[in-house]
Amino acid sequence: MADSTSYLLYIFLFFFFTILLHYLFHRRSYAPRRPPTPPALPLIGHLHHFSPSVYKSFHNLATKYGDLLFLRLGRVPCVVISSASYAAEIYKNQDVNFSSRPKFAFGDELPYANAGFFAAEYGDYWRFMKKLTMTELLSQRQVERSRGVRREEMLKLLRKLCECGEKKEAVDLGAELVKLTNNSTCRLVMSTRCSGDDDEAEKIRLLVKETFEMASKVAFGDVFGWPLERLAFWMFGRQARDVTLRYDEILEKILRQHEDRGKREGLDREDRDLMDILLKVYQDHNAEFNITRTNIKAFLLV
């Protein structure tokens, strides 16, 4: 028992001093004119300023240090804005400078982890997908269609609440609102519900739940960097790949169904969804940018 305790202590000290040395000798240099920042601690940065009520912590920091402040969450530097004027400056005037996203610790080792739009670096693909999102995915036609889908799902929820009220049965309103949001989103994306009584919806629901649980574990390595990022991949990398491949199986099945329907009825029909729009671009060889099936599935996965 004493030997086991000693080994664990040696392992802990090894990781502690490795991280400490990495922090001391490999710290990134930031521009001297950075926004105001609260006191930080080694390794964890400003994480000690946060309580379980994260939004209250951000509000307290903004009240004390201003609407623009610099924070370091573990190894991750970030700038926090708390005013509409700063938000307009970043998203309108400086949008190119803030377009790229930091890479995941082991994104290259996961199926299509870097193929999605939201994690893509600024470039031809990012610009094309942004243009497509603004002109097609968020067009007036799609917004009008979303209104009808939301209405149907809302009426379904209200009918269930009325039925439970007549039977004097308790209802978990929080769970029902989550179902409402999930089903509205999934119907607009790929014309299927992802929260319901059928096997396919239950499979998607469990996958989403498992993804959130896994992401919280993997984020530990992203926040604290090497060597913990490699430790996180060693512990949870296989699970991450497994979850992604199960998503891929479901999305590929739905993608083929949309392709078959597109051959029969066309991809420009009135009730087209997000997957139909992306499929039309995928099949257009003269498009400004040729996206792949992997790009489509990665976009839908996020």
Side-chain angles (χ1 to χ4, degrees):
M1 187 68 180
D3 291 340
S4 300
T5 304
S6 299
Y7 288 138
L8 291 174
L9 179 61
Y10 292 149
I11 293 174
F12 172 78
L13 291 175
F14 169 76
F15 278 110
F16 176 79
F17 284 112
T18 301
I19 296 172
L20 182 61
L21 290 173
H22 180 76
Y23 171 81
L24 292 175
F25 294 103
H26 295 83
R27 287 185 300 176
R28 294 184 181 183
S29 59
Y30 299 100
R33 294 185 60 187
R34 64 187 183 189
T37 180
L41 294 176
L43 303 182
I44 66 171
H46 298 98
L47 290 176
H48 63 290
H49 290 282
F50 290 88
S51 66
S53 299
V54 179
Y55 70 96
K56 291 183 179 179
S57 302
F58 277 121
H59 173 73
N60 294 335
L61 290 172
T63 301
K64 186 174 182 180
Y65 295 96
D67 293 332
L68 183 70
L69 67 151
F70 172 82
L71 295 178
R72 185 167 54 80
L73 308 179
R75 70 160 185 170
V76 182
C78 62
V79 175
V80 180
I81 57 174
S82 306
S83 71
S85 59
Y86 282 127
E89 176 67 22
I90 288 176
Y91 288 111
K92 291 184 178 179
N93 301 332
Q94 304 291 334
D95 60 328
V96 174
N97 296 324
F98 290 91
S99 296
S100 295
R101 300 292 181 267
K103 291 185 177 181
F104 294 110
F106 43 86
D108 294 334
E109 302 178 60
L110 293 176
Y112 56 80
N114 294 322
F117 166 58
F118 294 99
E121 295 184 359
Y122 181 78
D124 294 339
Y125 170 67
W126 190 93
R127 287 193 296 269
F128 175 75
M129 292 304 294
K130 179 184 177 182
K131 178 181 177 182
L132 180 67
T133 301
M134 300 303 296
T135 58
E136 292 286 348
L137 308 184
L138 300 178
S139 64
Q140 176 107 17
R141 178 181 179 183
Q142 290 304 111
V143 172
E144 288 296 327
R145 180 173 178 266
S146 72
R147 184 178 301 170
V149 171
R150 294 196 308 270
R151 184 175 183 276
E152 289 179 14
E153 293 299 326
M154 181 64 73
L155 289 175
K156 183 179 179 182
L157 171 62
L158 293 176
R159 280 195 294 267
K160 181 173 182 178
L161 293 178
C162 291
E163 292 174 0
C164 292
E166 292 175 356
K167 298 177 183 178
K168 296 182 179 181
E169 296 178 351
V171 179
D172 186 346
L173 188 57
E176 293 301 325
L177 290 175
V178 170
K179 287 183 181 180
L180 171 67
T181 304
N182 290 344
N183 286 331
S184 299
T185 303
C186 287
R187 285 188 61 188
L188 292 171
V189 170
M190 46 191 174
S191 298
T192 186
R193 286 186 170 90
C194 56
S195 294
D197 300 325
D198 58 297
D199 294 338
E200 195 70 18
E202 180 65 15
K203 186 185 297 186
I204 296 175
R205 188 188 69 81
L206 292 176
L207 265 178
V208 172
K209 181 180 178 181
E210 187 175 349
T211 300
F212 278 109
E213 293 175 350
M214 181 199 64
S216 63
K217 300 173 184 176
V218 172
F220 182 80
D222 275 310
V223 169
F224 292 103
W226 188 90
L228 292 183
E229 65 184 28
R230 300 309 308 173
L231 178 63
F233 180 72
W234 177 71
M235 295 176 64
F236 307 114
R238 184 174 181 179
Q239 181 185 2
R241 281 195 295 262
D242 177 66
V243 170
T244 305
L245 290 175
R246 280 187 283 156
Y247 263 123
D248 184 84
E249 181 180 351
I250 294 174
L251 291 174
E252 183 63 30
K253 178 181 176 181
I254 298 175
L255 197 58
R256 290 177 180 174
Q257 291 173 352
H258 277 65
E259 286 178 318
D260 293 339
R261 186 182 178 187
K263 291 177 182 178
R264 298 192 307 269
E265 305 174 20
L267 294 173
D268 285 323
R269 59 186 185 274
E270 188 63 29
D271 62 340
R272 66 176 182 171
D273 55 28
L274 171 58
M275 187 172 281
D276 291 318
I277 295 173
L278 294 174
L279 265 176
K280 183 180 178 181
V281 177
Y282 164 70
Q283 295 174 359
D284 183 7
H285 299 293
N286 296 320
E288 183 180 336
F289 188 94
N290 294 322
I291 63 174
T292 65
R293 297 177 77 88
T294 301
N295 292 136
I296 295 177
K297 289 183 282 189
F299 186 92
L300 297 174
L301 179 59
V302 176

